[in-house]
């Protein structure tokens, strides 16, 4: 059902990339629609704020558009785009670390565990603390509802490797949430 909803298949990616290379600009819109949520999620994980993540997401898609002819295997567009995103996040983090004049406003965390929004924010914050490959697996499979067959291709993993990574990520999130709950009770 999800594949029908978003048309996220490697065959569609190859077809769409080839249309774009042939000059069909609407094909780029199709690729954007398929992968924008994932790229925005990864950018938010890397930047920690909405404004920077939106700007970074735009940069990622512009770079992908400019470099689409360098993509060797059009069916691996998702994997290639994820790599561009990872590199863009690393570059952004390096620039941010060097920027000594940057002002940061700390907003105190509000801990009201009775609200669903706070629980979701806590979960997203916990996920952002995971290693990159585990974060990406959770974003793809659970948050963006990408089928495992597509998610494993984006990550460049075998089916069993993907499920092992997903299991490890779930366990780590559970441990972190349990630890956070115990620390807040003290």
């Amino acid at each position: 059902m999800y594949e029908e909803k978003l048309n996220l298949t490697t065959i569609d990616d190859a077809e769409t990339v080839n249309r774009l290379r042939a000059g069909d600009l609407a094909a780029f819109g199709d690729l954007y629609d398929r992968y924008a949520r994932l790229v925005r999620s990864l950018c938010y994980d890397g930047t920690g704020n909405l404004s920077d993540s939106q700007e970074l997401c735009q940069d990622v898609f512009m770079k992908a558009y400019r470099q689409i002819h360098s993509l060797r295997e059009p069916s691996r567009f998702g994997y290639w785009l994820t790599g561009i995103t990872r590199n863009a996040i690393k570059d952004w983090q390096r620039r941010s670390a060097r920027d000594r004049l940057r002002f940061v406003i700390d907003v105190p965390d509000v801990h009201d565990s009775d609200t669903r929004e706070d629980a979701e924010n806590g979960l997203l914050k916990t996920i952002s603390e995971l290693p990159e490959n585990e974060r990406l697996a959770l974003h793809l499979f659970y948050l963006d509802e990408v089928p495992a067959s597509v998610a494993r291709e984006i990550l460049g993993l075998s089916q069993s490797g993907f499920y092992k990574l997903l299991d490890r990520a779930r366990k780590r999130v559970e441990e972190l949430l349990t630890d956070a709950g115990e620390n807040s009770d003290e």
Side-chain angles (χ1 to χ4, degrees), residues 51-69:
S51 176
D52 286 335
S53 66
Q54 290 172 335
E55 187 175 323
L56 191 57
C57 179
Q58 289 177 356
D59 292 345
V60 165
F61 276 99
M62 289 307 299
K63 186 171 188 171
Y65 178 77
R66 286 191 303 271
Q67 295 180 357
I68 195 69
H69 291 287

Side-chain angles (χ1 to χ4, degrees), residues 153-166:
E153 278 196 35
I154 290 172
L155 291 170
L157 296 171
S158 67
Q159 185 172 349
S160 63
F162 175 72
Y163 284 116
K164 287 177 186 175
L165 176 65
L166 203 55

